[in-house]
Amino acid sequence: MTDQPHSALIGLGSMGFGMATSLLRGQHRTHGYDISPTQVAAFAEAGGAPGDLADVAPDVDTVVVAVLNAAQTEAVLFGPEGVVPHMKAGAVVVSCATVAPDFARTMEARCAEHGVLYLDAPISGGSVKAAKGQLSIMASGTPQAFAAARPALDAMAETVFELGDSAGAGSAMKAVNQLLAGVHIAAMAEALTFGMTQGVAPDAFVEVISKCAGTSWMLENRAPHIVAGDYTPHSSVNIWPKDLGIVLDIAKSAQFSAPITAAAMQQYLAAAGMGLGGEDDAAVAKVYARNAGLTLPGEG
Amino acid sequence: MTDQPHSALIGLGSMGFGMATSLLRGQHRTHGYDISPTQVAAFAEAGGAPGDLADVAPDVDTVVVAVLNAAQTEAVLFGPEGVVPHMKAGAVVVSCATVAPDFARTMEARCAEHGVLYLDAPISGGSVKAAKGQLSIMASGTPQAFAAARPALDAMAETVFELGDSAGAGSAMKAVNQLLAGVHIAAMAEALTFGMTQGVAPDAFVEVISKCAGTSWMLENRAPHIVAGDYTPHSSVNIWPKDLGIVLDIAKSAQFSAPITAAAMQQYLAAAGMGLGGEDDAAVAKVYARNAGLTLPGEG
């Protein structure tokens, strides 16, 4: 026996790969899984432990799930090759995808049927912070789930917000954050291109507005991508129809009118419809530019 | 003769009064004017210089105009009792209201007919910074206008953005800033109340989101008003139908589609229609709360 924490991470994407290397750096014995053999091989190269998930599952203390959405989360936990039925009692699932609070509550209950703990733990911070072990995690779950997840949280996160003693509260706060983050990116794009119609150059926009009351975290992070004409996807357009879709679905269930979120959603849908889904989400500016006949930096 | 700068300020409101006292603190001989005799008397008490505007105008180096909008600006400059025809050649008008860029260009040209310089100088920062001489000013005008306005700018502003050598560019940047500021306040209200429907308490919203990617300058400044249930108007709801109206008018002239701004505008119009125009602009949250049947802090 050893005291080394023993973890598996499912979903070695732009966030998950960095989280998995953060677990390694935190001295976890860490197995990494993904549908892409390339990603799995890259993680093995980085120091990942070997073994099929079904064989490894009974031994791990923590399974971190860093897949894209609710459907993938359900599949990796409870699908035909789902991990939960193989896990030992008292082990914990740390579920990081952005999902509806009701979905998180359902997963918590289904894990409990197997004696497995569940931490509702959506993440914020981007791929750079994921790789540095500096994520923010909006977490809720039982005290037992928090205690079991602590070694993994310590390795992956700079800040863990403890938002309640059952699943759902973490996902609710994440939805609130995504509402604002998605609106702020699209509003930045709207303002930057509006400014161009009035003779405000994109670099002047960033220089001035980032120091004024109109600034936002997203403006300061994303507007420089437009100035540089660089749409390398740190976070892609496709995230937003998904995440604002979750927000608007929850809002609809609560009969909550969210007109600004709904307007932002249309701009992301237009960007995806233009074929920009795989570009950086700052590319939502291209919708505005096309509508207004503007030429963004780096474009023909 | 003396080297003491000699200024007049028209519009002793929540911004202008503080700007006038900043001029005094900057050793300007300063005359203050307002339609409210109470404000004029308060400024005399604070050290303001006496005299009717028509009598004083030929002697002043700088006239700072801190009124509400374009109509008031035109009236105080060129109306029946307008100041510009009385000013000496080479004196400067520093025009601080949020106006359309075309209006600023027109004012610059009309001032020039009288040999008077014009600085397009909209302000940002709120009443507290106005009183401390720490405003941000988004300025454009001729080098001569900047030079003539410098002593007043030094007294009133912490940051002066020099945005171009003719009027219009300052007002264009201010419109861009107001687009974002107005959208961000309403988006904050939308997210805060959406969160309430999901069990996220307003104080937890501020605590968590202000440290996450969903934050904005306006969220951090205004959301605490909602948590405190304090709608004392530091900046009122009525500002936004006016300023977003300017943005949307300019956008319409440029055939620029601004759906997020348009959605935010509707929420401010609803707030004004509910009789909240004189409350702090964070009161736009009451529109969402009423629509969703929520009770905000400090209510009922």
Side-chain angles (χ1 to χ4, degrees):
Chain A
M1 292 295 289
T2 168
D3 283 344
Q4 185 184 25
H6 193 180
S7 298
L9 188 140
I10 306 175
L12 296 166
S14 63
M15 297 297 288
F17 195 92
M19 294 159 70
T21 57
S22 292
L23 288 168
L24 287 176
R25 206 169 46 248
Q27 307 302 321
H28 288 239
R29 177 170 166 80
T30 311
H31 308 265
Y33 301 96
D34 199 271
I35 51 170
S36 157
T38 311
Q39 289 301 93
V40 173
F43 184 63
E45 185 83 10
D52 286 347
L53 181 54
D55 299 331
V56 166
D59 294 325
V60 299
D61 308 306
T62 307
V63 173
V64 179
V65 182
V67 297
L68 188 62
N69 56 24
Q72 292 182 6
T73 298
E74 184 164 14
V76 303
L77 294 181
F78 297 108
E81 299 178 39
V83 68
V84 171
H86 302 289
M87 290 170 70
K88 66 187 174 192
V92 63
V93 168
V94 177
S95 182
C96 299
T98 299
V99 301
D102 276 347
F103 175 84
R105 284 185 277 268
T106 300
M107 290 299 105
E108 179 183 51
R110 291 180 65 184
C111 281
E113 292 170 5
H114 296 271
V116 170
L117 302 165
Y118 183 91
L119 195 70
D120 180 23
I123 53 181
S124 175
S127 57
V128 173
K129 289 199 169 185
K132 291 183 177 172
Q134 295 177 347
L135 290 172
S136 292
I137 301 188
M138 303 175 190
S140 69
T142 62
Q144 294 80 4
F146 270 108
R150 189 63 60 189
L153 298 177
D154 287 346
M156 299 188 298
E158 183 174 78
T159 307
V160 177
F161 296 104
E162 301 193 12
L163 298 170
D165 61 4
S166 61
S171 287
M173 188 67 84
K174 180 68 190 291
V176 169
N177 186 68
Q178 294 308 88
L179 183 166
L180 286 164
V183 166
H184 289 170
I185 294 168
M188 173 276 291
E190 185 163 310
L192 184 147
T193 49
F194 167 72
M196 289 175 71
T197 70
Q198 304 302 309
V200 176
D203 56 349
F205 169 89
V206 173
E207 186 192 335
V208 175
I209 301 297
S210 67
K211 301 193 187 86
C212 291
T215 196
S216 69
W217 192 98
M218 278 298 182
L219 183 151
E220 294 175 34
N221 189 268
R222 299 299 208 277
H225 301 178
I226 300 173
V227 172
D230 181 356
Y231 298 95
T232 307
H234 299 287
S235 176
S236 71
V237 165
N238 280 336
I239 294 291
W240 294 109
K242 176 179 80 68
D243 282 11
L244 294 185
I246 291 171
V247 170
L248 292 170
D249 282 349
I250 302 170
K252 181 180 173 191
S253 296
Q255 296 185 305
F256 180 86
S257 168
I260 299 175
T261 308
M265 176 66 148
Q266 303 313 308
Q267 302 306 95
Y268 290 111
L269 289 173
M274 284 170 63
L276 305 173
E279 294 195 10
D280 189 77
D281 50 24
V284 71
K286 297 182 181 180
V287 175
Y288 290 97
R290 188 174 70 168
N291 287 346
L294 299 167
T295 303
L296 293 171
E299 289 191 324
Chain B
M1 292 296 289
T2 166
D3 284 346
Q4 184 184 26
H6 192 179
S7 298
L9 189 140
I10 305 175
L12 296 166
S14 64
M15 297 297 288
F17 196 93
M19 295 160 70
T21 57
S22 293
L23 288 168
L24 287 176
R25 205 169 46 247
Q27 308 302 321
H28 288 239
R29 177 171 165 80
T30 310
H31 309 263
Y33 302 95
D34 199 272
I35 51 169
S36 157
T38 310
Q39 290 300 94
V40 173
F43 184 61
E45 184 83 8
D52 286 346
L53 181 54
D55 299 332
V56 166
D59 294 325
V60 301
D61 309 307
T62 306
V63 173
V64 179
V65 181
V67 297
L68 188 62
N69 57 25
Q72 292 182 7
T73 299
E74 185 163 14
V76 303
L77 294 181
F78 298 107
E81 298 178 39
V83 67
V84 172
H86 301 288
M87 290 171 69
K88 65 187 175 192
V92 63
V93 168
V94 177
S95 182
C96 299
T98 299
V99 301
D102 276 347
F103 175 84
R105 284 184 278 268
T106 300
M107 291 299 105
E108 179 183 51
R110 291 180 65 185
C111 282
E113 293 169 5
H114 296 271
V116 170
L117 302 165
Y118 182 91
L119 195 70
D120 180 22
I123 53 182
S124 176
S127 57
V128 173
K129 289 199 170 185
K132 290 184 178 174
Q134 296 178 347
L135 289 172
S136 292
I137 302 189
M138 303 176 189
S140 69
T142 62
Q144 293 80 4
F146 269 108
R150 189 63 60 188
L153 299 177
D154 287 346
M156 300 187 299
E158 184 174 79
T159 307
V160 178
F161 296 105
E162 301 192 14
L163 298 170
D165 60 6
S166 62
S171 287
M173 188 67 84
K174 181 68 191 291
V176 169
N177 186 68
Q178 294 308 88
L179 183 166
L180 286 164
V183 166
H184 290 171
I185 294 168
M188 173 277 291
E190 185 163 310
L192 184 148
T193 50
F194 166 72
M196 288 175 72
T197 70
Q198 302 303 309
V200 176
D203 56 348
F205 169 91
V206 174
E207 187 193 333
V208 175
I209 302 297
S210 66
K211 301 193 186 87
C212 291
T215 196
S216 68
W217 192 97
M218 278 298 181
L219 183 150
E220 294 174 34
N221 189 268
R222 300 297 208 276
H225 301 179
I226 300 173
V227 172
D230 181 357
Y231 298 95
T232 307
H234 299 287
S235 176
S236 72
V237 164
N238 279 336
I239 294 291
W240 295 108
K242 176 179 80 68
D243 283 12
L244 294 184
I246 291 171
V247 170
L248 292 169
D249 283 349
I250 301 170
K252 182 180 172 187
S253 295
Q255 296 185 305
F256 180 86
S257 167
I260 299 175
T261 308
M265 176 66 145
Q266 303 311 309
Q267 302 305 96
Y268 290 111
L269 289 173
M274 284 170 63
L276 306 173
E279 293 196 10
D280 189 77
D281 50 25
V284 71
K286 296 182 182 181
V287 175
Y288 290 95
R290 187 175 71 167
N291 286 347
L294 299 167
T295 303
L296 293 171
E299 289 192 322

